[in-house]
Amino acid sequence: MDLTTSTALVTGANRGFGRALAAELLSRGATVYAAARNPAHVDLPGAQPIALDITDPVSVAAAAEATGDVTLLINNAGSAPVADLLVSDPDAIRLEMDTHYFGTLSVVRNFAPQIAANGGGAILNVLSGLSWVSFPEFGAYCAAKSAEWSLTNALRLQLADQGIRVAGLHVGYMDTDMVRDVDAAKSDPADIARIAVDGIAADAYEILADSAARQAQAALSGGVSVLYPHLP
């Protein structure tokens, strides 16, 4: 994909990884819409702020109507991994699915026709190593990301004939506000953004951005005993 002729829309671009993605795309010559629930919080020179709340269908439709030239969509916006499936408030659990699954789907349904009308392009869904392995303390996030992975696979098949390549980015923890309380090794978002955009430019379908994602994928073939060796 020639990024210098691309117009990208990045959701959740006001901070963290979304901002790093938007900055990386701008550095490579792309035109960038930086989408956020409050566009006033977008402070990235060169990016065009646009209002978009992925959990609000009216907001998503309005953003699609306000653009028209998008050829690259990056679904990055997400909610923090905080909900335990057994003890957390059901609304917190539901928010995970509404954001990562239904929210992502809503954005794709609104922007895919636009991308196709512009001659095709690409969609990148920001997934996680937690699409493939679950931890009970934030099981709702893991379940939602696993659903988003399945969604990505289905959309990849459905949109291929329209000239739209659908890719998934799998990555472990990044040093962002969303996981500031997690005590684990974290990657620099700018480094992961470069890897992600390299993958888009190379027309990759699946981008494994770090060792955590690669280890999680490798463990899948080993089954439950490899994914969860502590089980009796």
Side-chain angles (χ1 to χ4, degrees):
M1 188 173 189
D2 183 359
L3 295 171
T4 64
T5 61
S6 298
T7 298
L9 185 141
V10 182
T11 66
N14 56 303
R15 62 177 183 170
F17 186 50
R19 190 181 189 282
L21 283 166
E24 182 66 23
L25 287 163
L26 285 167
S27 75
R28 302 198 192 195
T31 300
V32 176
Y33 291 105
R37 284 178 294 180
N38 186 345
H41 292 163
V42 174
D43 63 352
L44 184 62
Q48 181 174 334
I50 186 168
L52 199 164
D53 178 349
I54 71 170
T55 65
D56 179 357
V58 174
S59 174
V60 176
E65 182 69 23
T67 53
D69 54 348
V70 171
T71 56
L72 169 60
L73 169 65
I74 299 185
N75 287 305
N76 162 75
S79 55
V82 296
D84 180 307
L85 289 170
L86 294 181
V87 302
S88 293
D89 188 307
D91 286 342
I93 296 170
R94 192 171 292 110
L95 176 62
E96 300 277 17
M97 196 64 71
D98 284 345
T99 302
H100 298 109
Y101 182 79
F102 290 110
T104 297
L105 178 58
S106 176
V107 176
V108 170
R109 285 167 63 105
N110 278 270
F111 280 90
Q114 183 177 145
I115 297 172
N118 289 324
I123 296 171
L124 176 68
N125 292 336
V126 177
L127 304 173
S128 172
L130 299 179
S131 306
W132 294 324
V133 62
S134 295
F135 294 99
E137 58 268 34
F138 31 82
Y141 179 90
C142 299
K145 281 299 183 182
S146 183
E148 189 182 359
W149 174 45
S150 183
L151 167 73
T152 300
N153 289 330
L155 293 173
R156 181 179 295 136
L157 297 171
Q158 286 188 274
L159 293 174
D161 290 344
Q162 298 181 40
I164 301 174
R165 298 180 71 90
V166 180
L169 172 70
H170 295 268
V171 60
Y173 295 121
M174 290 181 282
D175 191 11
T176 66
D177 289 343
M178 184 176 289
V179 293
R180 60 182 177 273
D181 295 329
V182 175
D183 183 17
K186 300 173 186 177
S187 300
D188 184 334
D191 292 339
I192 304 301
R194 283 191 291 272
I195 293 169
V197 176
D198 283 345
I200 294 169
D203 293 334
Y205 281 122
E206 193 166 63
I207 305 165
L208 305 183
D210 61 8
S211 59
R214 290 187 288 272
Q215 289 168 7
Q217 186 197 55
L220 286 175
S221 61
V224 173
S225 62
V226 174
L227 285 168
Y228 310 106
H230 57 284
L231 284 174

